[in-house]
Amino acid sequence: MNSTWPAITWMRVAIFRHCGEDMIRCTDHWICHDHARHRHKRERAHSPAWLSLCNPVYCRLFFFSSSTQMQTRIALASFLLLLPHSVVSTSAQIRGLNPALAEKYVANARGNFECLDGSKEIPFARVNDDYCDCTDGSDEPGTSACNNGTFYCRNEGHEPAIIDSARVNDGVCDPQCCDGSDEWDSHVVCPNTCDTVGRAHRELRASQEKEQKAGQQRLRQLVREASGLRKIKREELARKQSKLADAEVHLAEAEQLKDMLEKQEQEMRANQDSDRAMRKQGLFDEYLPDLIAYRRHLAMALHRSRWQRDSLIMLLRAVRREHNAEFNDEAVNLAVKEYTEFADAYPYLENAAASVMEEGEGARAAREQEMDRDSELQDDKNYEACRDAINIAESERETNKADIDLLYGILAKLRDDYNKNYHDLAVKAAVVGLGEFEQMRDADSTVISSQYETLEIAKAQERVAEAKARLELILDETTETPVDSEQPDVDFQQRLADARSAYYTASSDKSQLANDVSVLSELLGKDLGERDMYLPLKDKCYSLDAGEYTYEVCLLDQATQISNKDNSRQHLGSFAEFAKDSDGITLYTTHKYLNGNKCWNGPNRSLIATFECAEEIEIVKVTEPEKCEYHALITGPFACPMPEDGMVDGKDDPSGKTPVPAAPQDDAVSVSPIPYAHDEL
Ligand code: MAN
């Protein structure tokens, strides 16, 4: 001991000279190293004794000993110098070292530090010597020497932080290092703000935790509510399905009764129709001879009226063509003018009359006979043909009569007024012709009236009118008028009306039930979020006035943009699905509302809603990052951690998989067992 003491003493003194001053300042940092930094790095790094002392443990030990008790300090230092390497090379205070890695910062048997990536080992003195030795930067946890290193701020009073080693001593107080430890050797002095920052952080965290707790509590309630609701809805569905089955049976019965009565009604109507047809036929048979007689008489009268009309036309045509205009006889001029108006109105009549006149009397008589024969074959065949022929003939007779009266009037006036001093042959011929016409007309009239009387045409005419009236009575009969007086018709009609009304009621009841079943099946088949969390609030709407627009999001239903200026609404989309992450996992806190109104020159509007955990559901903000693509940030319990006991209410059926009684098959609505959105349900 004695032999080594002078040497050790010398070293102690030397060491103390090196470290002593700084040790007085030694606080949280191990300042011996600090002191060493000013020396040439390599030289310092290769001195094992220096290394051992320039270590925070030594510094601390020196610091805690009294600076006035020099001897004690030297003795302590001497003692420490004699300790084995593995003990003295403690890592507890290595600057910037993450305590989690402390056990790796112990000198190995050779007194060396092994780079954490195992790439090499270096003398322990070279740890934090401001020279980067290890490729992974692990030898410089407290300096900025390695560009891939990290620095650990202890941040006592707050939370530790790890920053890039490039930010060590860069002259900027790193906010992450509230203890200021990142600037241990720079021109800036960073105050330790960890108490304040830590307190604020803890308060914020506490309030967040409180909010989260409240949100989670609300979520727990929602999930419980949802579980109960699902149960209720499933029971309702089962009930409706069974009612639907009954309603279908009832409808089938009502339909059967209605069909039966309608068939009966149809048969009755058919009977009535055939009865009517028979009566009509009877009527036709009874009156047909009268119709034929009357039609033939009309035909005869028609031939004569045509001939009369044609004769007058020919007389006037001749006057117009052949009169002597030089006489300028006013009566002639008037006759020509009036006839011209007539001829212009009916141009075909003059030509027809001319050809009839040309054919000669015999040919005309033969043609008329032929016409009569044809009519007898055609028009006298049955009541209706005969009646139609009568109607046509009567109408022509009226027209002819009007034409004859008009033409005869023109000629009669001419005959009275023409200038008898003029020797106009055409006029004179017309006057003579008019006389002949009058004779012919009288003769015709005699023939017609004699036939009218002998053939009792007046009586036939009366019977024709009678038949017409009787026919109308038959045609006016409605189906409601009973044919069979035995049939209690009023009662039947009432029964039919009741059956129809019962059928329509049954049909509407069935449709309503089918609709309810379909709506419920659809709802229960939907993915309503984790543990059905959205079920209690599905379709509930929340809105945010964002200045120009108010945005409304109705949960799992639709999103709308409402103009605050004119209240006009833009459909931003209907709920389509929850988003999925890159692994295909459903993100229940991101809703996609798609296929909204078309954007001018852009896509269909759409909105993505993202939820953040909170107790209250509230739209916090809506942005439009791309034209017509909206993003809504919504707070609510849905994004809070799902409580473990979320299913406490599902006791009767925790799996939720009790099959719903199968509904009777229905063509209109197929009710399948409810698919389950989640295994938990
Ligand atoms: C409306 C709103 C806007 C949208 C434009 C696109 O003004 O829906 O949000 O960007 O239309 O033309």
Side-chain angles (χ1 to χ4, degrees):
M1 181 83 178
N2 274 350
S3 59
T4 53
W5 181 248
I8 293 171
T9 304
W10 178 85
M11 269 181 85
R12 285 179 207 137
V13 173
I15 291 163
F16 188 71
R17 263 214 308 274
H18 264 293
C19 301
E21 278 172 40
D22 289 334
M23 282 177 187
I24 306 301
R25 304 193 273 113
C26 192
T27 59
D28 276 352
H29 311 299
W30 47 290
I31 44 148
C32 283
H33 186 91
D34 224 0
H35 182 83
R37 289 181 77 252
H38 304 297
R39 295 169 58 89
H40 188 270
K41 286 180 195 168
R42 271 286 163 228
E43 179 193 328
R44 176 172 49 82
H46 285 282
S47 159
W50 182 247
L51 159 77
S52 303
L53 279 175
C54 289
N55 177 300
V57 175
Y58 293 89
C59 293
R60 287 221 164 176
L61 286 169
F62 276 103
F63 176 71
F64 287 121
S65 60
S66 159
S67 60
T68 53
Q69 291 174 350
M70 182 74 73
Q71 192 58 46
T72 314
R73 276 190 263 150
I74 294 170
L76 189 55
S78 311
F79 164 72
L80 290 167
L81 270 171
L82 294 173
L83 287 174
H85 246 104
S86 58
V87 177
V88 296
S89 301
T90 175
S91 56
Q93 292 296 322
I94 293 177
R95 191 193 296 276
L97 178 63
N98 182 346
L101 301 172
E103 65 184 31
K104 304 216 157 91
Y105 284 73
V106 174
N108 65 13
R110 292 175 294 282
N112 289 337
F113 168 73
E114 289 170 19
C115 300
L116 295 190
D117 62 1
S119 55
K120 63 167 133 166
E121 61 179 58
I122 55 170
F124 211 94
R126 284 158 64 179
V127 170
N128 271 344
D129 66 347
D130 209 14
Y131 183 87
C132 194
D133 294 294
C134 297
T135 48
D136 63 355
S138 56
D139 62 314
E140 294 298 317
T143 75
S144 58
C146 298
N147 58 13
N148 55 349
T150 54
F151 181 89
Y152 181 89
C153 314
R154 305 182 81 86
N155 289 349
E156 273 161 23
H158 183 34
E159 287 172 352
I162 294 170
I163 60 169
D164 269 0
S165 56
R167 284 153 71 180
V168 172
N169 292 328
D170 61 352
V172 177
C173 297
D174 205 294
Q176 277 178 275
C177 281
C178 58
D179 59 3
S181 59
D182 59 313
E183 297 302 314
W184 55 267
D185 184 27
S186 86
H187 58 280
V188 290
V189 177
C190 298
N192 186 335
T193 58
C194 286
D195 275 354
T196 323
V197 171
R199 199 175 313 114
H201 179 77
R202 281 189 295 280
E203 277 169 12
L204 177 71
R205 167 109 35 104
S207 102
Q208 281 172 343
E209 271 166 13
K210 202 170 146 212
E211 183 66 48
Q212 185 158 324
K213 239 178 170 173
Q216 201 174 21
Q217 182 54 28
R218 176 85 183 95
L219 181 59
R220 179 179 286 119
Q221 284 168 4
L222 278 178
V223 167
R224 283 178 184 166
E225 216 177 301
S227 162
L229 252 179
R230 176 169 281 273
K231 221 173 128 213
I232 290 168
K233 297 266 176 205
R234 291 174 63 212
E235 283 163 6
E236 195 182 339
L237 174 63
R239 223 173 24 250
K240 297 252 175 182
Q241 281 172 328
S242 135
K243 275 187 168 182
L244 176 61
D246 292 347
E248 277 163 350
V249 171
H250 183 55
L251 175 63
E253 286 166 0
E255 190 171 21
Q256 206 179 11
L257 178 63
K258 177 187 77 89
D259 287 353
M260 189 190 81
L261 292 177
E262 278 179 347
K263 203 169 157 219
Q264 268 184 33
E265 194 208 23
Q266 260 174 21
E267 282 166 8
M268 275 165 56
R269 194 175 289 178
N271 285 342
Q272 281 176 345
D273 286 350
S274 82
D275 174 78
R276 210 173 358 212
M278 272 168 59
R279 284 186 296 139
K280 253 164 77 179
Q281 195 51 54
L283 192 85
F284 295 167
D285 295 346
E286 187 183 339
Y287 287 95
L288 187 60
D290 298 302
L291 256 79
I292 292 171
Y294 180 52
R295 190 203 65 72
R296 290 185 182 174
H297 172 73
L298 268 181
M300 186 272 285
L302 255 186
H303 291 318
R304 292 183 182 260
S305 74
R306 281 181 194 143
W307 178 247
Q308 287 176 20
R309 182 200 58 201
D310 292 346
S311 306
L312 291 173
I313 287 174
M314 293 313 286
L315 291 177
L316 279 164
R317 186 177 86 143
V319 173
R320 184 167 65 158
R321 284 188 179 179
E322 293 157 23
H323 75 282
N324 190 337
E326 283 180 18
F327 291 136
N328 199 20
D329 184 338
E330 244 178 64
V332 177
N333 288 346
L334 181 64
V336 168
K337 181 178 165 280
E338 285 180 351
Y339 172 68
T340 304
E341 278 167 12
F342 173 84
D344 288 350
Y346 312 104
Y348 55 91
L349 281 182
E350 199 179 80
N351 291 340
S355 25
V356 167
M357 289 302 150
E358 272 165 26
E359 82 185 326
E361 205 164 329
R364 178 171 60 90
R367 182 169 52 74
E368 285 174 358
Q369 267 177 17
E370 200 179 326
M371 277 169 71
D372 288 345
R373 234 189 352 266
D374 286 351
S375 292
E376 279 162 23
L377 286 172
Q378 290 294 318
D379 305 339
D380 297 351
K381 226 167 37 195
N382 62 47
Y383 180 94
E384 269 153 344
C386 197
R387 183 199 55 202
D388 293 347
I390 287 174
N391 287 341
I392 293 167
E394 276 183 334
S395 149
E396 192 186 338
R397 190 181 59 172
E398 288 307 306
T399 317
N400 286 355
K401 194 174 168 305
D403 290 348
I404 291 165
D405 287 349
L406 176 84
L407 298 169
Y408 178 78
I410 297 172
L411 279 164
K413 216 161 21 159
L414 176 67
R415 181 172 59 189
D416 292 347
D417 300 343
Y418 83 97
N419 194 333
K420 313 291 183 289
N421 299 323
Y422 297 147
H423 188 61
D424 189 329
L425 288 178
V427 176
K428 290 201 166 159
V431 171
V432 173
L434 185 63
E436 287 167 2
F437 168 81
E438 283 166 337
Q439 282 172 18
M440 178 181 71
R441 185 189 59 190
D442 294 347
D444 283 350
S445 150
T446 310
V447 171
I448 291 168
S449 29
S450 110
Q451 195 197 58
Y452 195 78
E453 275 152 32
T454 39
L455 295 181
E456 294 188 310
I457 298 300
K459 207 165 156 204
Q461 224 177 327
E462 254 172 48
R463 283 177 57 78
V464 166
E466 191 182 295
K468 206 170 151 195
R470 280 181 64 187
L471 181 63
E472 259 161 29
L473 272 183
I474 296 174
L475 296 175
D476 278 354
E477 283 168 7
T478 61
T479 46
E480 277 74 36
T481 312
V483 180
D484 180 0
S485 55
E486 305 265 296
Q487 170 79 33
D489 190 68
V490 176
D491 180 44
F492 174 81
Q493 289 302 332
Q494 190 54 50
R495 278 197 299 139
L496 177 58
D498 290 349
R500 279 186 175 140
S501 143
Y503 167 76
Y504 294 131
T505 308
S507 167
S508 132
D509 288 352
K510 191 217 108 173
S511 304
Q512 182 60 53
L513 282 164
N515 186 57
D516 292 352
V517 164
S518 142
V519 167
L520 279 167
S521 305
E522 201 194 324
L523 175 74
L524 293 174
K526 268 193 176 127
D527 184 349
L528 296 165
E530 246 183 298
R531 292 178 184 169
D532 275 346
M533 62 184 172
Y534 291 110
L535 177 57
L537 297 172
K538 187 178 173 308
D539 299 341
K540 198 163 166 15
C541 303
Y542 300 88
S543 58
L544 171 75
D545 183 342
E548 196 178 351
Y549 301 106
T550 291
Y551 290 91
E552 187 182 76
V553 176
C554 302
L555 293 180
L556 303 197
D557 183 23
Q558 60 170 333
T560 314
Q561 182 192 55
I562 305 149
S563 161
N564 285 340
K565 249 188 262 152
D566 58 11
N567 246 25
S568 60
R569 299 170 82 87
Q570 289 286 2
H571 178 51
L572 300 185
S574 300
F575 177 75
E577 57 180 356
F578 297 107
K580 285 194 167 36
D581 69 9
S582 51
D583 297 329
I585 309 282
T586 305
L587 302 171
Y588 284 113
T589 51
T590 308
H591 300 187
K592 290 180 175 182
Y593 295 83
L594 306 178
N595 261 327
N597 287 351
K598 179 103 180 70
C599 182
W600 187 78
N601 247 350
N604 279 63
R605 285 175 172 79
S606 62
L607 180 137
I608 304 293
T610 310
F611 286 81
E612 270 181 7
C613 170
E615 186 184 11
E616 295 303 325
I617 303 170
E618 213 177 305
I619 304 181
V620 180
K621 70 172 175 182
V622 178
T623 52
E624 193 180 343
E626 293 288 332
K627 198 169 177 193
C628 295
E629 290 177 10
Y630 305 84
H631 182 259
L633 177 66
I634 307 179
T635 60
F638 315 114
C640 298
M642 180 56 74
E644 292 291 319
D645 57 349
M647 275 311 292
V648 287
D649 275 6
K651 283 173 203 143
D652 61 325
D653 178 18
S655 72
K657 285 182 177 169
T658 306
V660 175
Q665 283 309 298
D666 173 54
D667 287 341
V669 183
S670 100
V671 181
S672 50
I674 307 163
Y676 295 93
H678 311 297
D679 286 349
E680 304 94 298
L681 293 175

